[in-house]
Amino acid sequence: MKSVALALLALFAQRLLGLPGLPSWSSEILLPMALIVALSLKRHERRWPYEALLLGLGWDAVLEPVVGPGGIAWSAAALCLSAASRLVADRSPKAWLGFGAVGTVVVLVVQWLALLPLGLGTSWNPPSMLRTVLFTALWCGAVGTISRLDLPTHWRAYRARKLR
Amino acid sequence: MVIMRASFLRTALLWSLLEILAAWQVRTADGPILLTWLRAVIHPVVATADRVGDLTVDVGLGIHDLQRVITDNRRLRLQLEEIRARELLLDEDLQALREASRLAGPTSEFEPGARVARCAFRDLSAGTMEVRTESRVVIPRDAAVMTKGGLIGRVVRSEGRRHWLQMLTHVTAAVAVRTTDGSLNGLALGTGTEALTVAYVPRQGHLARGVVLVTSGGDGIFPPGIPAVEVIRVRETEDPFLEVRAVPTVNLKTVRVVLILPDWSPENSGKEQ
């Protein structure tokens, strides 16, 4: 339930990032990538990433002209990251950053491939792609760092001290 | 391994379904892009089937044409052979006609009614020959028939363009012959074989092998002076006559054109002389 709420929140935020008035690069961050990275790094069980598929479909419904390619792209990214997480033991913010970059590349490439036969293929724009990869990686790294800080524990400790 | 395969298949299936779902939403000028995909999938199959059909038809037509060409080639080859054979025959005929003309030319008595005929059939063992003239003519029985090489025989039946000859080798044929200088006379008798017997040649006569005997006209059938037989053997026996064997001066196997002399008769010859 928490994942669904986070996904909806991420999509909503992603939608907001594209609002007129905000910097053009702001919409280039893939906010839901942090969820995919989290799923691959924190989950221990091995199963097909249906959550990523649903997230991709949601992405398509909110941000894309057709529903479908996003599901493919995001599930592909989740599969790649899931496979990579078995090879990489590191769970530090750096790993979050790297996983975010890899996932972003996979999403962009697979989405481009999936859109290609539909005649809706986006043209390659290397600077934009690089920015997307960079910002998303940084975003994932930031989420990883915050996750590492374990803020709820600190918050609970702080409340306990104050109540005393 | 099985899990991986199942996962792979599940992924492929899901992604395919999603791609189809996306394609269903995309519209082009020709309709949904899904239909374009279907056309793109079906078109090569249809085009290939079409090409294969065309190829089959072309191959069929090619085979048919090849058969026709082979048949035509065979027919043309046969025609060519026939033309060559005809050319050879015509060449021989022309040569024979020239020879017949040369033969008939100096003999004024042959010329007026002489008919050229062509050999259609001959049976050497039976001693008969069928000749055909160019037009329908009535040839009197016993008309002499000759060619450049000499005497062939006489007409025994005439019917329109077809005329049957009795060759001088016929078992019942008889030709009065003599030497060219007229010193010896005899009667060449057919034996049913290639050789003839020359009878009634006196023992005191000088006759050697290779001598050509010409018709004497004494039989009242054949005009005098036509080469008839060539002596091949002379033997003396207890009889008062020599035993003489001779062969026709004409090679009866290769005769193609003959000259029929229907107008000659001893009476006419006598008058002219």
Side-chain angles (χ1 to χ4, degrees):
Chain A
M1 198 61 180
K2 195 169 69 176
S3 299
V4 174
L6 284 172
L8 289 174
L9 182 64
L11 290 173
F12 180 70
Q14 186 76 42
R15 183 86 182 176
L16 290 179
L17 287 175
L19 284 177
L22 289 173
S24 60
W25 53 263
S26 63
S27 61
E28 291 174 347
I29 304 171
L30 305 182
L31 294 180
M33 185 55 70
L35 289 172
I36 302 296
V37 175
L39 280 174
S40 59
L41 289 179
K42 291 193 169 179
R43 179 180 287 166
H44 298 290
E45 60 196 297
R46 294 171 60 186
R47 60 186 175 85
W48 209 84
Y50 289 105
E51 301 89 348
L53 179 72
L54 293 172
L55 177 64
L57 292 175
W59 174 277
D60 283 341
V62 175
L63 300 164
E64 297 291 340
V66 290
V67 177
I72 298 171
W74 288 91
S75 59
L79 283 170
C80 284
L81 295 182
S82 176
S85 68
R86 272 176 245 140
L87 303 173
V88 180
D90 188 11
R91 296 295 184 262
S92 66
K94 277 196 294 186
W96 279 71
L97 192 139
F99 272 57
V102 172
T104 307
V105 169
V106 173
V107 164
L108 291 175
V109 171
V110 174
Q111 192 162 27
W112 179 76
L113 288 173
L115 285 172
L116 203 59
L118 303 176
L120 303 170
T122 52
S123 59
W124 284 100
N125 186 358
S128 171
M129 288 180 67
L130 277 175
R131 278 198 302 272
T132 303
V133 172
L134 181 66
F135 293 154
T136 308
L138 289 173
W139 161 248
C140 291
V143 172
T145 307
I146 294 167
S147 172
R148 187 75 174 266
L149 291 175
D150 200 6
L151 288 175
T153 308
H154 287 292
W155 174 253
R156 279 195 294 274
Y158 168 74
R159 291 285 294 172
R161 278 199 305 273
K162 202 171 181 183
L163 286 172
R164 262 188 254 129
Chain B
M1 193 68 180
V2 175
I3 294 168
M4 273 188 70
R5 197 194 306 167
S7 176
F8 176 78
L9 288 174
R10 189 187 308 160
T11 306
L13 181 66
L14 277 170
W15 288 4
S16 302
L17 287 173
L18 288 173
E19 193 68 23
I20 290 168
L21 175 69
W24 185 252
Q25 300 161 58
V26 179
R27 305 277 169 179
T28 63
D30 299 331
I33 200 166
L34 202 58
L35 292 179
T36 312
W37 287 7
L38 283 174
R39 278 191 219 110
V41 170
I42 291 168
H43 181 70
V45 177
V46 173
T48 305
D50 200 24
R51 293 280 165 80
V52 168
D54 288 349
L55 182 69
T56 308
V57 171
D58 287 348
V59 168
L61 287 174
I63 290 170
H64 183 255
D65 287 350
L66 183 65
Q67 285 175 341
R68 205 172 57 192
V69 165
I70 289 170
T71 309
D72 286 352
N73 191 22
R74 197 175 297 155
R75 185 172 51 79
L76 288 172
R77 202 174 286 174
L78 286 172
Q79 281 181 356
L80 184 65
E81 289 296 320
E82 189 183 337
I83 288 168
R84 278 181 185 159
R86 195 175 293 169
E87 190 185 343
L88 282 174
L89 288 175
L90 285 173
D91 195 34
E92 286 180 11
D93 287 357
L94 184 64
Q95 209 168 352
L97 275 172
R98 280 178 183 158
E99 288 171 0
S101 177
R102 273 202 299 273
L103 178 68
T107 318
S108 58
E109 61 198 24
F110 293 170
E111 270 192 291
R115 296 277 177 178
V116 174
R118 183 172 179 163
C119 175
F121 169 78
R122 82 274 189 283
D123 185 350
L124 295 176
S125 60
T128 56
M129 179 184 286
E130 182 193 335
V131 295
R132 293 189 183 191
T133 49
E134 191 181 8
S135 57
R136 291 172 169 272
V137 288
V138 178
I139 305 291
R141 186 182 166 86
D142 291 338
V145 181
M146 58 176 292
T147 184
K148 185 203 170 190
L151 189 68
I152 290 181
R154 63 190 177 94
V155 176
V156 291
R157 187 183 164 199
S158 177
E159 188 181 292
R161 293 177 54 208
R162 302 171 71 190
H163 315 285
W164 284 265
L165 314 182
Q166 182 191 69
M167 293 192 285
L168 49 87
T169 54
H170 191 273
V171 72
T172 60
V175 182
V177 293
R178 60 175 168 79
T179 52
T180 49
D181 58 1
S183 58
L184 288 173
N185 284 286
L187 191 63
L189 301 170
T191 59
T193 63
E194 287 183 6
L196 293 85
T197 302
V198 183
Y200 310 119
V201 179
R203 290 184 65 170
Q204 63 271 25
H206 293 284
L207 194 62
R209 189 176 163 190
V211 170
V212 173
L213 303 177
V214 298
T215 51
S216 65
D219 48 25
I221 296 173
F222 302 107
I226 301 173
V229 293
E230 181 184 340
V231 176
I232 57 169
R233 194 179 74 187
V234 181
R235 279 179 63 185
E236 288 187 2
T237 60
E238 293 177 352
D239 295 335
F241 302 105
L242 293 173
E243 185 184 301
V244 180
R245 296 284 284 178
V247 291
T249 53
V250 179
N251 186 355
L252 296 172
K253 292 176 185 171
T254 58
V255 168
R256 292 196 180 280
V257 175
V258 298
L259 191 67
I260 305 172
L261 310 172
D263 294 340
W264 187 86
S265 66
E267 295 80 24
N268 292 341
S269 177
K271 280 176 193 171
E272 283 174 8
Q273 284 173 355

